[in-house]
Amino acid sequence: MKDVNIELDKVTITVSSGKVLANIAMYMKANPSSKYFVVGHTDTQGKFDYNMDLSNRRAAAVKASLARDHGIAAERLEARGVGPLSPTTTNGNEAGRAEKRRVELVLR
């Protein structure tokens, strides 16, 4: 779910992520026995504990959107945050930090 992005220092899913979530929901509906971890991430700006909480809230927001807006059973999704612990790129510039503000689905 690399294309599901979150606004800076918020749990707001970007508008551009709506189509991606719809596609993911379509896949999930075609595979109804699959369960997923919804994993929230942050950049390394800010304090560690705050980022861990923020990443948990981001994961919960995506889980809620999939359930509420797309009809995916909430029990198929487990939201967890890992904060800055699983970086994909540098924290040294805004482009890298923006990429880190993401939520991913992991098959469980």
Side-chain angles (χ1 to χ4, degrees), residues 53-68:
D53 177 62
L54 180 60
S55 66
N56 274 312
R57 291 185 291 130
R58 287 176 172 171
V62 170
K63 174 183 175 177
S65 176
L66 286 168
R68 177 190 63 241

Side-chain angles (χ1 to χ4, degrees), residues 5-9 14 42-45 58 88-102:
N5 297 302
I6 310 293
E7 291 184 17
L8 175 63
D9 201 28
T14 61
T42 66
D43 59 29
T44 57
Q45 303 295 102
R58 287 176 172 171
T88 56
T89 187
T90 181
N91 200 54
N93 59 52
E94 179 51 33
R97 289 187 295 274
E99 186 175 319
K100 289 179 176 190
R101 294 188 295 269
R102 70 194 192 282

Side-chain angles (χ1 to χ4, degrees), residues 3-102:
D3 294 326
V4 175
N5 297 302
I6 310 293
E7 291 184 17
L8 175 63
D9 201 28
K10 296 182 181 179
V11 297
T12 308
I13 301 166
T14 61
V15 173
S16 63
S17 298
K19 190 177 277 190
V20 175
L21 286 173
N23 287 336
I24 289 166
M26 189 177 354
Y27 173 83
M28 293 176 83
K29 287 176 182 178
N31 297 279
S33 63
S34 297
K35 295 182 178 184
Y36 303 87
F37 290 108
V38 182
V39 184
H41 299 267
T42 66
D43 59 29
T44 57
Q45 303 295 102
K47 296 190 183 278
F48 180 80
D49 289 340
Y50 175 79
N51 283 335
M52 293 301 290
D53 177 62
L54 180 60
S55 66
N56 274 312
R57 291 185 291 130
R58 287 176 172 171
V62 170
K63 174 183 175 177
S65 176
L66 286 168
R68 177 190 63 241
D69 303 331
H70 301 283
I72 303 301
E75 59 270 5
R76 294 178 60 197
L77 307 167
E78 185 174 339
R80 299 290 175 171
V82 296
L85 299 178
S86 183
T88 56
T89 187
T90 181
N91 200 54
N93 59 52
E94 179 51 33
R97 289 187 295 274
E99 186 175 319
K100 289 179 176 190
R101 294 188 295 269
R102 70 194 192 282

